[in-house]
Amino acid sequence: MKTKTFLAALALTLTPALAAAECSYGQHKQAASCQAGSTWDTATGACVSSPTG
C-alpha cells in the first residue's frame, strides 16, 4: 500500500512541472499585424503596401 501512495504522491507532485515544461516547448508564432493600408506577405515575411485600385 505504501508503494501505491508514494507513486500517487509523486505523480501529483510532478504533474505541474511537466505541464509547465510542455508550454515552453516548441515554437510559438504570433499573428502579424500591419498598419492600415498594408498586408502581411508570407513570402517575404514582412508587411507590404496594399495596392488601392
Side-chain angles (χ1 to χ4, degrees), residues 25-41:
Y25 179 75
Q27 295 180 351
H28 298 282
K29 294 185 178 184
Q30 182 177 353
S33 58
C34 300
Q35 294 179 349
S38 61
T39 57
W40 182 254
D41 184 12

Side-chain angles (χ1 to χ4, degrees), residues 10-36:
L10 182 65
L12 291 173
T13 303
L14 293 178
T15 301
L18 293 174
E22 184 66 27
C23 289
S24 63
Y25 179 75
Q27 295 180 351
H28 298 282
K29 294 185 178 184
Q30 182 177 353
S33 58
C34 300
Q35 294 179 349

